[in-house]
Amino acid sequence: MTQDGRMEKIISLAKRRGFIFSGSEIYGGLAGIYDFGPRGVELLSNLKKSWWKANVYDKENAYGLDAGIFKHPRTWEASGHIGGFSDPLAECRNCNARIRVDKELAKIGVTADEKMSEDAINDLFDQHRGEIACPSCGKKEFSRVRAFNLLVKSNLGDFTSEGADPVYLPGEACQGIYLDYKNIVDSMSPKIPFAVAQIGKAFRNEISPRNFLFRMREFEQADTQLFIRPHANKHAYETLKKDRWSWFLSLGISEKRLRFKQHENLVFYAKDAWDIEYEFPWGFDEVEGVHDRTDYDLSQHEKFSGVNLHYTDPETGEKYIPWILETSMGMGRVFLAVLCDAYCEDEMDGETRVVLKLAPHLAPVKAMVSPLLKNKPELVAKAREVYAALKKVVPQIAWDDNGNIGKRYRRQDEIGTPFCITIDFDTLGEHPDLADTVTLRHRDSGEQERLTIADVAERLRAAVE
Ligand code: GAP
């Protein structure tokens, strides 16, 4: 249990209220695979919309892309993933559980450099074998460490099943941007500096998927690649970092639970790397990487494909390979950060309630409409009318007439619905001054106000933008 079981409570709520399901659950599940349920898919889509707005629509020189998942096998040789994209793995001799040696070493305060050779990490592991216990059975007997490549193989187009030249699933989504860079330059004539943004799937054979959506084997990455003039990286990098920080704050995430952390060990493609970390219930951990990739990727693809990927600068006429600054965020990780940050237990009307204090633009349901009493046909008819009218303004509106009004509020609080709208006898004109008005209840404070239906529609429109 972490922090009074906070993580377990969030996972339970996510399943119970239709946000996240374990993949293939009826067959016992599949490690590292999760599905977004009816409410999860709405929250995810709202996150994507917000990210796309900030990274494409609000920028002057940014282009969207949606590249195919499968890529030519040479892509992964050029990118360096076939040679260098591996984690150090050892197997428990007693129960065959696999451990990620660098992570286990980190738990006892020992750092394993990402660029270490297999021999070097074996030497380091040998020095600490006695201190590391198998997380499954507790024994301390492990095999030799070997580098385990994380790329997931497919048999696309392999009709002989010999497995020669496999087509890999993408280990990182951004490779699609590099493969289409020339097409974008030729079709859109972008002026440097320009950015290409994409939300795409990535797959990694993670040795030990863990922490719910945090480390999965199938996940989505929201990437931007900023193409800049060679050596123009310093100022642009700082601007990019600030820009990303502001976006995380725009999600309503509390600033004290965010931090930047510079990488001590750089992956093979990066010259500099900073992570935006969120304080999850188990501690600070990476949500997004901001990487200075220099001309590594385009130079590699030029070399391996034989296609000229030089850019002709429209201002100076110079020809060069642009340098790249990348932002790469796991959609599952930001989703989880938003859930963790919004999850709250507080007191209302003398009861403890669970509430997701989601920013209204992220909430899966924007408002719930209900009649005060279910057994009064005239109230139900009016409430149905209001529900239909509001749904035309903001489609994510729920109907609930089950149980008493207090129970309805609690159900909506748990899924983060910012507003509840109740139709009562005054709406019908019992008190003539209040005809066609409703009560609007605010999720976080529980306060209620009386508004006309037209004003409620305006409030909703404004709140979800
Ligand atoms: N293109 C650069 C790249 O892929 P990365 O640091 O390996 O860099 C970027 O990944 C982001 O993708 C991470 O910050 C994280 O949010 C997300 N990510 C990476 N591995 C993941 C996994 N196994 N499960 C969920 N998200 C993951």
Side-chain angles (χ1 to χ4, degrees):
M1 285 267 199
T2 43
Q3 268 188 25
D4 302 328
R6 188 173 166 80
M7 194 61 216
E8 289 74 7
K9 286 179 188 170
I10 292 167
I11 295 172
S12 153
L13 182 146
K15 180 178 179 193
R16 196 164 27 86
R17 304 312 311 273
F19 284 88
I20 300 291
F21 306 132
S22 295
S24 314
E25 199 179 284
I26 60 166
Y27 287 102
L30 190 60
I33 309 290
Y34 288 94
D35 301 336
F36 289 81
R39 292 195 175 110
V41 79
E42 290 295 329
L43 171 50
L44 183 69
S45 145
N46 294 336
L47 277 167
K48 287 182 184 176
K49 277 187 215 145
S50 162
W51 185 89
W52 196 262
K53 179 176 180 300
N55 290 285
V56 180
Y57 300 150
D58 291 354
K59 298 278 186 291
E60 214 182 300
N61 216 4
Y63 303 86
L65 182 72
D66 187 1
I69 283 186
F70 290 108
K71 289 156 181 51
H72 193 282
R74 294 277 280 166
T75 306
W76 305 106
E77 282 176 56
S79 69
H81 283 77
I82 288 180
F85 191 48
S86 56
D87 281 338
L89 171 145
E91 234 171 55
C92 172
R93 290 199 195 283
N94 180 52
C95 71
N96 297 330
R98 290 168 174 178
I99 58 161
R100 237 185 95 172
V101 173
D102 55 336
K103 295 283 172 203
E104 295 303 321
L105 285 168
K107 284 185 196 161
I108 55 164
V110 177
T111 307
D113 194 317
E114 298 215 17
K115 289 180 185 133
M116 257 181 179
S117 68
E118 221 169 83
D119 282 346
I121 195 152
N122 267 294
D123 287 348
L124 187 67
F125 188 48
D126 285 345
Q127 290 165 32
H128 298 280
R129 273 177 186 270
E131 299 161 62
I132 295 174
C134 170
S136 281
C137 70
K139 290 258 161 55
K140 294 181 177 170
E141 293 152 28
F142 293 100
S143 67
R144 224 183 114 71
V145 184
R146 61 189 170 90
F148 178 76
N149 193 289
L150 301 183
L151 285 179
V152 177
K153 278 182 197 163
S154 81
N155 70 345
L156 183 82
D158 173 12
F159 303 110
T160 62
S161 303
E162 282 167 6
D165 224 2
V167 180
Y168 294 98
L169 294 174
E172 55 172 5
C174 64
Q175 290 297 326
I177 299 182
Y178 309 142
L179 300 194
D180 272 327
Y181 149 84
K182 185 173 165 7
N183 285 328
I184 289 172
V185 170
D186 291 348
S187 60
M188 308 301 292
S189 310
K191 269 172 88 178
I192 205 155
F194 63 93
V196 180
Q198 177 186 240
I199 300 177
K201 286 265 185 180
F203 302 82
R204 296 183 186 176
N205 242 336
E206 295 286 354
I207 295 167
S208 45
R210 65 181 170 92
N211 286 341
F212 198 35
L213 305 182
F214 187 82
R215 192 169 297 287
M216 298 184 281
R217 288 185 172 146
E218 174 187 342
F219 53 98
E220 257 183 323
Q221 290 180 316
D223 293 330
T224 64
Q225 309 290 315
L226 180 64
F227 295 85
I228 56 171
R229 295 193 167 95
H231 306 284
N233 47 341
K234 232 179 166 63
H235 174 69
Y237 198 44
E238 285 316 307
T239 311
L240 200 56
K241 280 166 58 190
K242 280 194 195 125
D243 199 44
R244 294 306 300 142
W245 187 260
S246 310
W247 183 76
F248 278 94
L249 295 185
S250 79
L251 304 180
I253 292 183
S254 120
E255 195 163 12
K256 66 174 195 297
R257 296 209 190 91
L258 288 171
R259 72 176 186 197
F260 260 115
K261 190 164 174 229
Q262 190 171 22
H263 273 226
E264 288 164 18
N265 296 317
L266 292 170
V267 282
F268 57 92
Y269 54 71
K271 184 167 175 269
D272 194 4
W274 288 77
D275 289 339
I276 294 186
E277 294 190 335
Y278 174 76
E279 191 178 17
F280 290 99
W282 62 87
F284 274 100
D285 228 331
E286 170 185 349
V287 178
E288 173 165 86
V290 186
H291 307 134
D292 183 351
R293 299 180 75 128
T294 67
D295 60 352
Y296 173 81
D297 304 281
L298 290 182
S299 299
Q300 285 291 100
H301 286 302
E302 185 173 87
K303 196 165 111 196
F304 277 72
S305 66
V307 174
N308 182 353
L309 296 181
H310 278 59
Y311 174 84
T312 306
D313 195 311
E315 273 179 27
T316 63
E318 254 182 289
K319 289 182 193 304
Y320 50 75
I321 294 269
W323 283 26
I324 291 176
L325 298 176
E326 166 186 69
T327 67
S328 184
M329 177 186 80
M331 287 307 312
R333 288 197 190 176
V334 68
F335 184 104
L336 184 57
V338 163
L339 265 195
C340 290
D341 215 69
Y343 183 91
C344 183
E345 288 171 20
D346 64 12
E347 286 268 317
M348 188 164 280
D349 306 328
E351 281 177 25
T352 304
R353 68 165 183 166
V354 171
V355 53
L356 284 187
K357 293 189 173 173
L358 292 170
H361 71 291
L362 298 181
V365 177
K366 308 304 183 190
M368 180 271 281
V369 177
S370 73
L372 181 66
L373 299 171
K374 191 181 172 175
N375 56 359
K376 297 284 173 195
E378 63 276 34
L379 277 184
V380 175
K382 183 69 183 175
R384 281 279 174 200
E385 196 186 293
V386 173
Y387 169 73
L390 291 178
K391 223 168 162 39
K392 285 192 189 136
V393 180
V394 179
Q396 302 96 334
I397 304 274
W399 170 266
D400 191 357
D401 58 8
N402 259 329
N404 66 40
I405 202 83
K407 289 214 171 97
R408 295 177 208 164
Y409 288 161
R410 294 293 171 269
R411 279 198 289 272
Q412 296 302 321
D413 289 345
E414 255 202 325
I415 62 164
T417 306
F419 305 107
C420 288
I421 295 154
T422 307
I423 283 69
D424 56 19
F425 293 104
D426 284 337
T427 318
L428 300 179
E430 193 167 284
H431 191 303
D433 290 351
L434 297 178
D436 276 328
T437 65
V438 296
T439 58
L440 181 79
R441 182 244 188 201
H442 295 259
R443 175 195 66 201
D444 296 350
S445 62
E447 275 167 22
Q448 301 193 10
E449 48 183 333
R450 193 99 208 162
L451 293 173
T452 64
I453 295 163
D455 282 346
V456 168
E458 257 332 289
R459 282 284 185 90
L460 286 183
R461 208 193 311 261
V464 301
E465 267 169 10

